[in-house]
Amino acid sequence: MTDKVKNSFDASYPQPVEWARELLSGAKNVFVFTGAGISAESGIPTYRGAGKGFWDGLRVADWATPQGFARNPEGVWDWYCRRRVQLGSVRPNPGHEALAQLQRRIAGSGGSFTLATQNIDGLHQTAGTENVLELHGSLLAVRCSDCSYAETVGPVALDSPACPECGSRLRPDVVWFGEMLPQDTWRAAEQAASECDLLLVVGTSAVVYPAAGLIETALAGGARSIEVNPEPNGFSGLMNVSIRGKSGEVLPQLLGYR
Ligand code: BV8
């Protein structure tokens, strides 16, 4: 069977899902890289592409940068509080659940499974995936702008954005544009990507770096690759299998592998 199945509808080739199942069944070290698309079917709008709208009309520089926060701390704080409260009414979808099940299956057969997400919604954890690498932080946590205070707060607004330790202003514990990713998390993701034999890319436009560079790292390490996305992204041409579909529908089908 050739290595390239590009949405082939030639009857002599397996359909992309069958080929993806074939790759999954032989994988020992799986690295999963997810973006906002996997949460789209949970009702969280994506930032760009299919289902987009989140950043529509918003200047990223005003809302997702340290400079924007410095200019308008109350407004940015309230915006994140509103997004955090909304998480109280969203649930993982079958795509999140399928990845949690895949982790259990891979780990149960002695393999390794690492999931790194760009998402800040915590839905992978709620679905049961363990040791999630949150590359861009978490909407469900806050930290002090000045001292080391940090706290997981859940899907609630917070009245006083003052640090209980030092009185400085609290901020969302997310990575803004122009900020470094949490280094331990980043190094763990880079290592898992470089060592994997199968890369699964789900629901990302792959335009935000350095996170998107994990795709290049995995491919450079010789991994086979599967993507699940209704739309192509800049790496689609390098994937072994591209499944054009919604992750909440496709990922449960992939689990049909044995
Ligand atoms: C940094 C938290 C430097 C905030 C976010 C090269 C190298 C390094 C940096 C850069 C570089 N080039 C440019 C940069 C700067 C910048 C960057 O990448 N800019 C881009 C826009 C060009 N990067 C940074 O600033 C990063 N920091 O580089 O620091 C540094 C170094 C040393 C010292 C100091 C500093 C930090 C980036 C993190 C920004 N924070 N989020 C918040 O959310 O409020 S990014 C934001 O974009 C989210 O995290 C989001 O997840 C992420 C990526 O987007 P996607 O997840 O891909 O989502 P998107 O909407 O784009 O796409 C959705 C996809 O889903 C689509 O493809 C769609 O088709 C698909 N889809 C839709 N429905 C479904 C679906 N798929 C499946 N099923 C469905 N149903």
Side-chain angles (χ1 to χ4, degrees), residues 34-38 40-41 46-51 54-55 63-64 79-80 83 118-120 136 174-181 202-210 228-233 245-248:
T34 69
I38 196 167
E41 290 154 271
T46 59
Y47 297 76
R48 310 163 191 88
F54 188 66
W55 294 114
W63 300 98
W79 183 57
Y80 278 90
R83 290 171 67 188
Q118 301 169 91
N119 300 344
I120 60 175
H136 293 159
V174 302
V175 179
W176 281 326
F177 287 96
E179 293 189 317
M180 283 180 76
L181 277 58
V202 183
T204 183
S205 61
V207 298
V208 174
Y209 282 81
V228 178
N229 193 325
E231 294 181 351
N233 63 36
K246 295 182 175 181
S247 46

Side-chain angles (χ1 to χ4, degrees), residues 186 189-196 210 212-223:
W186 174 245
E190 276 198 310
Q191 180 168 351
S194 65
E195 294 171 352
C196 74
L214 293 169
I215 298 172
E216 293 158 311
T217 301
L219 297 179

Side-chain angles (χ1 to χ4, degrees), residues 101-256:
Q101 192 182 342
L102 180 62
Q103 179 179 46
R104 290 190 291 272
R105 200 180 285 179
I106 297 278
S109 60
S112 82
F113 175 103
T114 302
L115 187 146
T117 186
Q118 301 169 91
N119 300 344
I120 60 175
D121 57 33
L123 289 179
H124 284 299
Q125 294 92 317
T126 305
T129 299
E130 297 178 351
N131 308 317
V132 174
L133 299 175
E134 292 182 305
L135 300 168
H136 293 159
S138 173
L139 191 51
L140 295 163
V142 296
R143 64 181 168 88
C144 179
S145 301
D146 290 333
C147 76
S148 61
Y149 174 81
E151 186 184 1
T152 298
V153 294
V156 295
L158 293 175
D159 298 334
S160 159
C163 173
E165 302 284 330
C166 73
S168 290
R169 181 169 280 283
L170 293 177
R171 56 160 285 175
D173 196 3
V174 302
V175 179
W176 281 326
F177 287 96
E179 293 189 317
M180 283 180 76
L181 277 58
Q183 288 305 287
D184 291 348
T185 302
W186 174 245
R187 277 192 289 272
E190 276 198 310
Q191 180 168 351
S194 65
E195 294 171 352
C196 74
D197 56 18
L198 182 67
L199 166 69
L200 175 56
V201 182
V202 183
T204 183
S205 61
V207 298
V208 174
Y209 282 81
L214 293 169
I215 298 172
E216 293 158 311
T217 301
L219 297 179
R224 295 293 191 74
S225 52
I226 302 165
E227 71 166 346
V228 178
N229 193 325
E231 294 181 351
N233 63 36
F235 292 96
S236 294
L238 302 175
M239 297 287 115
N240 291 116
V241 183
S242 297
I243 305 175
R244 290 283 165 263
K246 295 182 175 181
S247 46
E249 297 165 7
V250 170
L251 291 175
Q253 293 175 43
L254 296 192
L255 285 194

Side-chain angles (χ1 to χ4, degrees), residues 36-115:
I38 196 167
S39 296
E41 290 154 271
S42 293
I44 299 180
T46 59
Y47 297 76
R48 310 163 191 88
K52 76 178 173 68
F54 188 66
W55 294 114
D56 274 7
L58 284 179
R59 276 174 28 89
V60 167
D62 291 338
W63 300 98
T65 63
Q67 297 79 4
F69 181 63
R71 285 195 298 271
N72 176 19
E74 292 82 7
V76 172
W77 175 260
D78 289 345
W79 183 57
Y80 278 90
C81 282
R82 285 198 302 276
R83 290 171 67 188
R84 187 183 309 116
V85 167
Q86 288 168 356
L87 291 182
S89 57
V90 299
R91 301 294 307 145
N93 64 61
H96 297 104
E97 288 158 359
L99 291 178
Q101 192 182 342
L102 180 62
Q103 179 179 46
R104 290 190 291 272
R105 200 180 285 179
I106 297 278
S109 60
S112 82
F113 175 103
T114 302
L115 187 146

